[in-house]
């Protein structure tokens, strides 16, 4: 406490290191080492310490306590402390992923099986990492077992139909479980020397254009800088955060589940600075991403979201899109009713639109094109026809914002 009061964090770091040496099985020492290493900008040590803390808290069955502690520390950091906040948020994503598994994910997978699109994606993703030389001992066994199951299932089912379920005995295959209850690999984004957003844009004009429209839709081409775009694309390819499987043949990742990096947080910060009249009155409620199987062309069906502002970004190269006139998004000029259930089926949504004569706006796919819009208006994916090579799966990222909730 004396060292904390004096602000001598370097000395505190030494004390925490001694604690972890003398009591390596005590999670408190590792948590404190992670916190003070991060404050001292020793990010590699902070990342290692938080991983040790998480592992020990999982073994002690205290994952909720660990998640709460990390969230509390996250909220003490400045909004522009991108590297440390990303480390903390990724550690929270690890705990969230494990908790989801324990809360029913394992039981659901045991009963229902693995969706073919998920099995194909995870096997190809780990093979991609292997070719890039990113397979560590933590990745090697899951990659081998997933590929074995993938090749075996490939012989038994119609592999052109990504909506089939593959059964496996998880009790006999811990390596496959590991790919579901852990984030095995993160792509490490590097700090950008310049802004993540494209500095050539007149962001005030884009902001004014958006705020002046009754149906707010603004198409922003070349949204990210070249460096930011390539890093975001590689993050989506390499990071094993794609844990949500949807029966419409696409996969999802969320910020709570670890879809976050230094780059994500920098983009969020810069949006607040570039278009303050839009973003500063709001709070980020989610950051999500989706990958779509190339052999199933529907994408996301008609729906509306619980958010008042969204930024939807496409990162897959244009050369992967086999139908350049499509692959984008359709947004209707109809807001969802106040009592609308966002879990309503697309058929219910379509019937509602027909009853009010909704007019669509079609926006074709283009890499690094962002759509600034109100996600409470009904929208859907256009038909998707992309090349089936792993790195060419259509990927979109969306930042959702809504009005800040006042604390009681």
């Amino acid at each position: 406490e004396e060292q904390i009061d004096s602000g001598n964090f370097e000395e505190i770091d030494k004390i925490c290191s001694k604690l972890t040496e003398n009591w390596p099985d005590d999670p408190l020492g590792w948590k404190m080492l992670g916190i003070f290493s991060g404050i001292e900008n020793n990010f590699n040590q902070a990342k290692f310490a938080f991983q040790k803390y998480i592992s020990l808290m999982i073994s002690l069955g205290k994952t909720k306590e660990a998640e709460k502690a990390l969230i509390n520390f996250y909220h003490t950091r400045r909004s522009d402390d991108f590297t440390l906040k990303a480390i903390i948020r990724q550690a929270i994503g690890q705990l969230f992923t494990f908790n989801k598994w324990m809360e029913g994910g394992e039981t659901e997978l045991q009963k229902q099986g693995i969706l073919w699109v998920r099995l194909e994606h995870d096997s190809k993703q780990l093979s991609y990492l292997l070719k890039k030389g990113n397979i560590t001992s933590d990745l090697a066994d899951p990659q081998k077992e997933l590929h074995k199951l993938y090749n075996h299932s490939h012989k038994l089912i119609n592999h052109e139909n990504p909506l089939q379920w593959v059964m496996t005995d998880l009790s006999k295959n811990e390596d496959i479980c590991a790919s579901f209850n852990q984030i095995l690999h993160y792509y490490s984004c590097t700090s950008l020397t310049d802004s993540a957003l494209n500095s050539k844009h007149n962001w005030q004009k884009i902001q004014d254009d958006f705020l002046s429209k009754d149906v707010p839709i603004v198409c922003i081409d070349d949204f990210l800088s070249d460096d930011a775009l390539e890093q975001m694309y590689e993050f989506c390819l390499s990071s094993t955060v794609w844990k949500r499987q949807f029966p419409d043949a696409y996969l999802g990742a969320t910020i709570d589940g670890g879809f976050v990096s230094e780059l994500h947080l920098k983009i969020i910060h810069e949006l607040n600075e570039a278009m303050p009249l839009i973003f500063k009155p709001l709070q980020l409620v989610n950051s999500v991403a989706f990958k779509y199987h190339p052999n199933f062309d529907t994408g996301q069906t008609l729906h509306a979201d619980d958010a008042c502002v969204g930024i939807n970004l496409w990162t897959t190269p244009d050369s992967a899109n086999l139908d350049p006139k499509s692959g984008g998004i359709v947004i209707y000029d109809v807001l969802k009713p106040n009592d609308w259930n966002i879990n309503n089926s697309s058929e219910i949504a379509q019937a509602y639109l027909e009853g009010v004569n909704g007019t669509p706006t079609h926006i074709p796919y283009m890499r690094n094109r962002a759509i600034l819009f109100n996600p409470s208006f009904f929208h859907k994916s256009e038909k998707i026809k992309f090349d089936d090579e792993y790195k060419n799966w259509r990927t979109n990222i969306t930042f959702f914002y809504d009005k800040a909730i006042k604390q009681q």
Side-chain angles (χ1 to χ4, degrees), residues 4 97-98 105 122 158 176-177 187 202 227 268 347 380 390:
I4 294 173
T97 299
F98 183 82
D122 286 10
N158 174 13
I176 286 182
C177 292
Y187 172 73
N202 184 337
D227 191 2
I268 292 163
E347 289 79 13
K380 65 179 181 179
Y390 170 68

Side-chain angles (χ1 to χ4, degrees), residues 110-143:
Q110 189 75 49
K111 290 181 178 178
Q112 189 171 274
I114 306 170
L115 194 62
W116 173 250
V117 61
R118 170 75 187 273
L119 178 59
E120 182 176 0
H121 172 272
D122 286 10
S123 177
K124 288 185 173 182
Q125 183 181 46
L126 292 177
S127 295
Y128 174 79
L129 291 172
L130 180 62
K131 289 178 182 177
K132 290 181 68 68
N134 290 330
I135 292 289
T136 62
S137 56
D138 291 336
L139 285 167
D141 289 340
Q143 193 275 339

Side-chain angles (χ1 to χ4, degrees), residues 241-244 246 251-255 257-259 286-290:
V241 294
W242 304 92
K243 305 300 181 185
R244 298 187 66 190
F246 295 89
L251 303 174
T254 66
I255 191 169
F259 184 72
N286 208 349
S287 169
V288 303
F290 299 104

Side-chain angles (χ1 to χ4, degrees), residues 294-314:
N295 291 338
F296 196 77
D297 64 4
T298 58
Q300 283 189 290
T301 54
L302 188 65
H303 67 288
D305 297 295
D306 280 339
C308 63
V309 173
I311 290 268
N312 185 80
L313 170 68
W314 297 310

Side-chain angles (χ1 to χ4, degrees), residues 167-291:
M167 303 303 297
T168 185
D169 188 349
L170 298 178
S171 64
K172 296 180 181 178
N173 205 326
E174 293 182 1
D175 291 321
I176 286 182
C177 292
S179 72
F180 281 79
N181 63 24
Q182 299 174 44
I183 298 173
L184 295 169
H185 180 75
Y186 270 115
Y187 172 73
S188 296
C189 294
T190 57
S191 297
L192 299 174
T193 54
D194 297 315
S195 63
L197 300 182
N198 189 339
S199 59
K200 295 180 180 179
H201 283 304
N202 184 337
W203 293 102
Q204 182 175 339
K205 183 178 183 301
I206 292 170
Q207 172 183 259
D208 294 344
D209 190 16
F210 178 80
L211 293 174
S212 68
K213 293 183 175 182
D214 293 332
V215 182
I217 304 172
V218 179
C219 186
I220 311 168
D221 291 344
D222 300 318
F223 176 69
L224 296 178
S225 67
D226 291 344
D227 191 2
L229 174 63
E230 290 306 322
Q231 289 202 48
M232 184 63 79
Y233 174 57
E234 188 59 45
F235 181 90
C236 293
L237 286 173
S238 296
S239 301
T240 61
V241 294
W242 304 92
K243 305 300 181 185
R244 298 187 66 190
Q245 52 183 20
F246 295 89
D248 290 329
Y250 62 92
L251 303 174
T254 66
I255 191 169
D256 287 339
F259 184 72
V260 64
S261 70
E262 177 180 340
L263 177 57
H264 290 75
L265 299 179
K266 185 173 174 61
I267 292 169
I268 292 163
H269 179 79
E270 289 184 10
L271 283 170
N272 284 352
E273 298 300 314
M275 295 183 281
L277 297 182
I278 297 175
F279 292 104
K280 284 198 172 179
L282 307 176
Q283 66 178 8
L284 182 78
V285 293
N286 208 349
S287 169
V288 303
F290 299 104
K291 278 189 187 181

Side-chain angles (χ1 to χ4, degrees), residues 9 12-13 16 28-42 45-47 49-50 53 69-70 72-74 76-77 84 88:
F9 294 119
I12 294 169
D13 186 70
C16 291
L28 179 60
W30 291 107
K31 181 180 77 171
M32 300 307 292
L33 180 61
I35 288 173
F36 291 109
S37 296
I39 291 172
E40 283 292 293
N41 295 336
N42 187 347
Q45 182 168 278
K47 186 182 294 187
F50 282 133
Y53 172 65
L70 290 174
N72 288 340
F73 179 48
Y74 177 86
T76 68
R77 310 316 303 156
L84 180 55
I88 302 164

Side-chain angles (χ1 to χ4, degrees), residues 10-126:
E10 187 175 346
E11 187 62 30
I12 294 169
D13 186 70
K14 292 178 182 177
I15 293 170
C16 291
S17 294
K18 288 181 180 179
L19 285 175
T20 58
E21 289 173 10
N22 294 329
W23 295 279
D25 294 329
D26 186 344
L28 179 60
W30 291 107
K31 181 180 77 171
M32 300 307 292
L33 180 61
I35 288 173
F36 291 109
S37 296
I39 291 172
E40 283 292 293
N41 295 336
N42 187 347
F43 298 126
N44 287 334
Q45 182 168 278
K47 186 182 294 187
F48 177 78
F50 282 133
Q51 287 302 318
K52 292 289 289 185
Y53 172 65
I54 289 171
S55 297
L56 289 168
M57 293 297 275
I58 287 175
S59 67
L60 293 170
K62 296 182 177 181
T63 54
K64 292 292 186 181
E65 180 183 329
E67 193 173 351
K68 183 178 180 181
L70 290 174
I71 289 171
N72 288 340
F73 179 48
Y74 177 86
H75 287 300
T76 68
R77 310 316 303 156
R78 301 188 318 271
S79 63
D80 61 351
D81 197 356
F82 307 127
T83 304
L84 180 55
K85 293 193 79 167
I87 290 170
I88 302 164
R89 195 83 211 209
Q90 288 179 356
I92 294 168
Q94 292 275 17
L95 289 165
F96 180 89
T97 299
F98 183 82
N99 285 335
K100 282 292 183 184
W101 177 260
M102 297 303 293
E103 290 167 1
E106 180 178 14
T107 301
E108 180 181 319
L109 200 63
Q110 189 75 49
K111 290 181 178 178
Q112 189 171 274
I114 306 170
L115 194 62
W116 173 250
V117 61
R118 170 75 187 273
L119 178 59
E120 182 176 0
H121 172 272
D122 286 10
S123 177
K124 288 185 173 182
Q125 183 181 46
L126 292 177

